[in-house]
C-alpha cells in the first residue's frame, strides 16, 4: 500500500490547517493510501543549531526523520505566516533534512525523489498562496517531486461546515484531485 504522511504546520487548537489536513487524509485513504498523521506538537524539536546537531542530535528529530523516510509521499498542510511558512514547519523540515549515521551531507533520505503535495488554509482572501510558493521551492530544493496540483482555502474562518467539510465545492474538489494525484505519483515513484 502506498504510504503518505500528512504533516500539519500548525499546532493551534482549532487549527484550520489541521481541519484541512484531516479532509485530505480521509481523501488519501479513500484513494488507496495508508496515511500517517504527523502532529508536530508531539515532537520535541529545538530550533536547529549546528552545535546541538554535533553534540546531541535531538532524539525526536531522529524519530521524525525516520518516520518521514519510511513514507512513499508527503503532504504538507500549512498556514502562511507573513507571506511564508511558519518556523514550526521550516524547523521540522530542516531537522529531518540533516544526515545521520553514515549518510553523506546531501543524502536527504527523508525526501529525495519522493512525491510531495502542498495545501494551505488561511483567514485571508488569498488562502496562503504566497506561503505555498515558498514551501514548493523548499521542497524542490530538498529534491522532492512536488505535484503541480495544490489547494488553497481562503477565508478559512468561514470555509468549514460544522461536520468539518468544506462549504465551497471548488476547494473540496481540489482536495480530492490533489490527493488522488499524490497517491498516483507516490505509487509510481516508489514502484
Ligand atoms: C505570525 C503570523 C503571521 C501571519 N501571516 C499571515 C499571512 O501572511 N497571510 C495570511 O493569509 N495569514 C496570516 N496569518 C493568519 C493565519 O492565516 C491564521 O492565523 C490561520 O488561522 C493560521 O492557521 P491555523 O488555523 O491552521 O493555525 C498570520 C498569523 C500569524 C500568527
Amino acid at each position: 500500500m502506498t504510504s503518505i504522511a500528512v504533516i500539519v504546520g500548525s499546532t493551534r487548537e482549532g487549527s484550520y490547517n489541521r481541519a484541512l489536513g484531516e479532509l485530505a487524509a480521509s481523501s488519501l485513504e479513500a484513494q488507496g493510501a495508508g496515511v500517517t498523521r504527523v502532529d508536530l506538537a508531539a515532537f520535541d524539536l529545538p530550533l536547529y543549531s549546528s552545535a546541538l546537531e554535533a553534540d546531541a542530535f535531538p532524539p525526536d528529530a531522529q524519530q521524525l526523520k525516520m518516520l518521514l523516510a519510511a513514507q512513499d509521499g508527503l503532504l504538507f498542510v500549512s498556514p502562511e505566516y507573513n507571506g511564508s511558512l511558519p518556523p514550526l514547519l521550516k524547523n521540522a523540515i530542516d531537522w529531518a533534512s540533516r544526515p545521520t549515521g553514515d549518510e553523506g551531507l546531501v543524502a536527504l533520505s527523508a525526501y529525495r525523489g519522493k512525491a510531495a503535495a502542498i495545501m494551505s488554509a488561511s483567514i485571508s482572501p488569498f488562502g496562503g498562496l504566497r506561503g505555498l510558493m515558498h514551501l514548493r521551492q523548499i521542497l524542490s530544493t530538498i529534491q522532492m517531486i512536488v505535484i503541480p496540483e495544490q489547494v488553497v482555502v481562503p477565508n478559512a474562518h468561514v470555509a468549514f461546515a460544522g461536520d468539518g467539510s468544506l462549504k465551497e465545492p471548488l476547494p473540496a474538489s481540489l482536495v480530492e484531485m490533489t490527493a488522488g494525484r499524490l497517491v498516483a505519483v507516490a505509487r509510481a515513484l516508489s514502484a
Side-chain angles (χ1 to χ4, degrees), residues 112-181:
R112 181 195 289 276
K114 286 189 196 172
I118 54 177
M119 302 184 182
S120 178
S122 143
I123 56 175
S124 87
F126 305 110
L129 189 59
R130 294 169 302 179
L132 288 191
M133 289 164 69
H134 284 188
L135 184 53
R136 179 175 291 279
Q137 185 180 7
I138 290 162
L139 298 177
S140 297
T141 302
I142 55 176
Q143 304 189 19
M144 298 206 78
I145 315 295
V146 190
I147 63 167
E149 292 86 348
Q150 64 183 26
V151 178
V152 290
V153 175
N155 306 314
H157 51 299
V158 291
F160 292 91
D163 64 359
S165 64
L166 283 162
K167 292 181 194 165
E168 292 290 333
L170 178 61
S173 66
L174 283 173
V175 170
E176 301 294 320
M177 188 187 297
T178 304
R181 175 80 83 170

Side-chain angles (χ1 to χ4, degrees), residues 10 12 15-17 79-83 121-124 128 130:
S10 171
R12 190 178 70 82
S15 161
Y16 303 122
N17 285 279
E80 170 181 291
Y81 278 9
N82 296 321
S122 143
I123 56 175
S124 87
R130 294 169 302 179

